Amino acid sequence: MGIREDLVRAEDEGWGEFWPLAASLSREHLVQDGYYSDWSVKDLLAHVGSWQAEASTMLERIRMGTYEPWTAEEDPINRAWWEIWREVDLDAVLAHLHSSRARMLEEWSWMPEDRLEREAVSWFEESGPSHYREHLTRLQTWASELAGR
């Protein structure tokens, strides 16, 4: 197996842990702050979807040969996305998450072998499998806290 297949498998396994846990929460719990002090799980899902949407754009640029290295700082971007998505309806956030993931996977599948370079691998891995792992422990803890209430 090559890097493409290995990362698709890692993404699928990560999603298989991350999404069912989030989906097991009630709508009330999804919008309740506490995942982080001012974040709900809905905010987390918008965050993950936003990074997947950004990865899709970057992967498309790599595929098309128009990519320029990304130089923005993550914290201000995360804050701006949080502010944008904060008041958006849960169903719209879920649509954003699922469509962004599908688009990221689609772009990854279309990537020519000769473009599967460090930048492409990094965008896919960091916005998918690594990102799920980064948030999974806190999501598990928060889901347990919610279940204990």
Side-chain angles (χ1 to χ4, degrees), residues 124-141:
F124 185 84
E125 214 278 323
E126 298 279 327
S127 300
S130 276
H131 209 191
Y132 305 145
R133 283 191 306 273
E134 176 186 341
H135 291 287
L136 187 60
T137 300
R138 177 61 192 137
L139 183 57
Q140 290 167 330
T141 301

Side-chain angles (χ1 to χ4, degrees), residues 43-59:
D43 297 323
L44 169 65
L45 299 177
H47 165 82
V48 169
S50 294
W51 278 109
Q52 290 174 332
E54 189 69 18
S56 299
T57 299
M58 295 304 138
L59 290 170

Side-chain angles (χ1 to χ4, degrees), residues 105-117:
L105 289 167
E106 181 178 56
E107 277 301 330
W108 185 248
S109 74
W110 290 345
M111 189 68 65
E113 290 294 322
D114 65 340
R115 304 241 181 198
L116 286 174
E117 57 201 31

